[in-house]
Amino acid sequence: MKKYLIMATALLGLASCSEKKFHVEGNITNAKDSVLYFENVGLEQVTVLDSVKLDEDGAFAFAEKQTEAPEFYRLRISDQIINVSIDSTETVTVKAQYPQMATQYEISGSDNCQKIKELTLKQIDLTKRAMAVANNQSLGVDESNDSILKMIRAYKEDVKMNYILKEPNRSYAYFALFQALGNTLIFNPRSDKDDIKLFAAVATSWDAYHPNSERGANLHNIAIEGMKNVRIAEAKEASTIDMSQVETAGVIDIALADNKGQQRHLTELKGKVVLLDFHLFSMEKSPERILLLRELYNKYHAQGLEIYQVSLDPDEHFWKQQTEALPWISVRDPQGLDSQTLISYNIQGLPDYFLITRDNALYKRAAQVQDLEAEIKSLL
């Protein structure tokens, strides 16, 4: 029995040693007796994972279990913070001096962390310049606001091109989306169409590189909610439909190129029952939805059902890959979330669909349908 216990203990020790971990270590000098916290910056809250009371040389070493997708952490003494990103089992080394550790630190072992440092310093510089303008008594209110807006626009263009779109699958691109000026996000995901596109671009990239990650799903939710807000605002502005676009049968035509380059008109499908589907293949539950459409198509296509699917995905290559094996009509609107078609059909969130009768007339939209298959059968 003693022999077995020794063997079991040894096996547990081996299992513990084989557990993959990342390490954050280094020195923060001039902080003797200060408590250094190592915290996880989650989607909902900041959680303390570990802490250490620093001695004379300020040495510290934290180790945590590797996560399945990139995650964000921070080192904190009081209100001085150093942001850290981890996407593997790397060892990140930080050297700093308190109380200037938030701005004057060296970091190595992670390109993501180095980029995050660059972004942090840029954000601090923008804040200082904006405050200087706001406190300049020689400037009027309008002049001050215009100057600050120009700073913000220039900052956003720099960060967009050199950090977010350069490598949207990286942690630093995600970090850049959530930078703030005061209490306001610099990139507005609620009502700015261009900023919403950036959130969608990073979300799509995270789906490819970090599938099923919680942060990727969160980005999708933010982008879709922002798109919905924009659609509502634009629908109010365009409360009337351009009647020149409406066929006598009562449907607004859509003419877009399919995944084989052929121009396809919605109105050319007169005589068939059509499921007009507005879709985003980069959404989290897209595969399940496509499977449902396949079942309906396979079951009722021979009886006269056709699917005309409009994709709003920004990445054309990704869209072609996703639709290559689909049997129905797959078109893509290159305007993406800025599509005039979305406004014409008053689409306020994706996915959404309409049923169209054999006479080419709008019958019902998704919100009015209780049982999709039953409705299709009734129209056939």
Side-chain angles (χ1 to χ4, degrees):
M1 180 61 73
K2 182 178 180 180
K3 181 174 71 173
Y4 291 139
L5 286 173
I6 292 172
M7 289 178 63
T9 303
L11 289 171
L12 285 172
L14 286 172
S16 176
C17 292
S18 66
E19 184 178 56
K20 293 183 178 180
K21 291 187 176 184
F22 67 87
H23 300 266
V24 179
E25 58 190 34
N27 299 79
I28 298 179
T29 59
N30 200 34
K32 186 175 183 296
D33 295 331
S34 296
V35 177
L36 174 66
Y37 295 94
F38 185 59
E39 301 171 328
N40 172 228
V41 185
L43 290 174
E44 300 293 335
Q45 62 184 3
V46 176
T47 305
V48 176
L49 300 178
D50 203 350
S51 65
V52 63
K53 187 174 182 179
L54 299 176
D55 56 18
E56 190 69 40
D57 68 356
F60 65 90
F62 299 116
E64 294 290 335
K65 183 180 178 182
Q66 177 192 13
T67 57
E68 294 182 359
E71 193 51 79
F72 296 88
Y73 304 88
R74 69 185 193 182
L75 297 167
R76 180 178 64 84
I77 298 178
S78 187
D79 61 347
Q80 291 289 299
I81 292 170
I82 296 174
N83 290 294
V84 177
S85 164
I86 300 293
D87 62 6
S88 185
T89 55
E90 67 261 51
T91 295
V92 176
T93 303
V94 179
K95 294 183 179 180
Q97 181 175 339
Y98 191 75
Q100 296 84 24
M101 60 178 275
T103 57
Q104 299 176 22
Y105 67 93
E106 297 177 6
I107 193 161
S108 60
S110 168
D111 180 59
N112 272 311
C113 290
Q114 185 59 47
K115 294 290 187 183
I116 286 173
K117 176 186 175 182
E118 293 174 15
L119 286 162
T120 299
L121 296 180
K122 283 176 175 287
Q123 177 190 12
I124 291 172
D125 177 65
L126 173 65
T127 301
K128 288 180 178 178
R129 290 187 289 118
M131 289 180 63
V133 171
N135 294 330
N136 189 339
Q137 300 297 321
S138 65
L139 298 177
V141 175
D142 291 342
E143 190 177 4
S144 176
N145 289 340
D146 287 345
S147 180
I148 293 173
L149 285 174
K150 287 180 181 177
M151 289 182 191
I152 295 173
R153 281 196 292 267
Y155 182 89
K156 290 174 69 172
E157 186 64 23
D158 172 30
V159 172
K160 178 179 76 172
M161 300 307 299
N162 296 313
Y163 294 89
I164 298 176
L165 295 182
K166 188 175 182 179
E167 293 181 295
N169 61 300
R170 302 291 297 277
S171 300
Y172 70 82
Y174 184 104
F175 179 86
L177 290 174
F178 294 96
Q179 288 192 293
L181 186 60
N183 295 319
T184 303
L185 288 177
I186 294 173
F187 291 93
N188 174 9
R190 294 185 60 81
S191 58
D192 188 303
K193 289 192 292 185
D194 292 332
D195 291 352
I196 293 168
K197 287 181 182 178
L198 296 179
F199 276 80
V202 176
T204 300
S205 188
W206 274 55
D207 273 351
Y209 287 88
H210 316 295
N212 303 317
S213 70
E214 187 178 6
R215 290 188 180 274
N218 182 57
L219 286 176
H220 274 299
N221 291 337
I222 291 172
I224 292 171
E225 185 64 26
M227 183 181 65
K228 178 180 177 181
N229 293 339
V230 170
R231 292 290 153 249
I232 292 172
E234 290 180 340
K236 289 180 179 178
E237 293 178 6
S239 56
T240 58
I241 295 177
D242 183 359
M243 296 307 295
S244 65
Q245 299 183 54
V246 182
E247 298 289 316
T248 56
V251 68
I252 302 172
D253 192 24
I254 301 174
L256 293 168
D258 65 15
N259 49 5
K260 297 178 178 59
Q262 181 180 349
Q263 190 83 347
R264 305 301 295 265
H265 284 264
L266 176 62
T267 51
E268 290 176 351
L269 300 176
K270 188 173 183 179
K272 296 180 178 292
V273 171
V274 179
L275 175 63
L276 170 60
D277 186 60
F278 293 92
H279 192 71
L280 202 61
F281 283 91
S282 55
M283 289 188 301
E284 180 182 6
K285 295 185 178 180
S286 173
E288 293 93 329
R289 192 162 184 276
I290 293 300
L291 182 61
L292 172 63
L293 294 181
R294 267 187 177 277
E295 291 175 355
L296 290 172
Y297 186 88
N298 292 340
K299 195 170 183 179
Y300 296 107
H301 177 64
Q303 299 178 41
L305 173 67
E306 186 57 79
I307 297 176
Y308 187 100
Q309 188 168 55
V310 182
S311 164
L312 287 307
D313 288 275
D315 189 331
E316 182 178 7
H317 179 68
F318 171 77
W319 163 70
K320 284 185 176 180
Q321 285 183 321
Q322 297 296 310
T323 60
E324 185 177 10
L326 297 183
W328 54 76
I329 299 171
S330 299
V331 300
R332 172 179 168 270
D333 195 325
Q335 293 181 326
L337 302 182
D338 294 327
S339 169
Q340 182 61 41
T341 302
L342 293 181
I343 298 174
S344 298
Y345 277 87
N346 194 24
I347 303 297
Q348 299 180 11
L350 293 176
D352 202 352
Y353 66 83
F354 290 84
L355 285 174
I356 299 173
T357 68
R358 292 184 186 273
D359 295 329
N360 231 357
L362 291 178
Y363 175 63
K364 287 183 179 180
R365 71 181 305 157
Q368 300 169 302
V369 176
Q370 297 293 324
D371 185 332
L372 178 56
E373 184 172 2
E375 294 284 8
I376 290 173
K377 288 172 66 176
S378 71
L379 294 175
L380 292 171

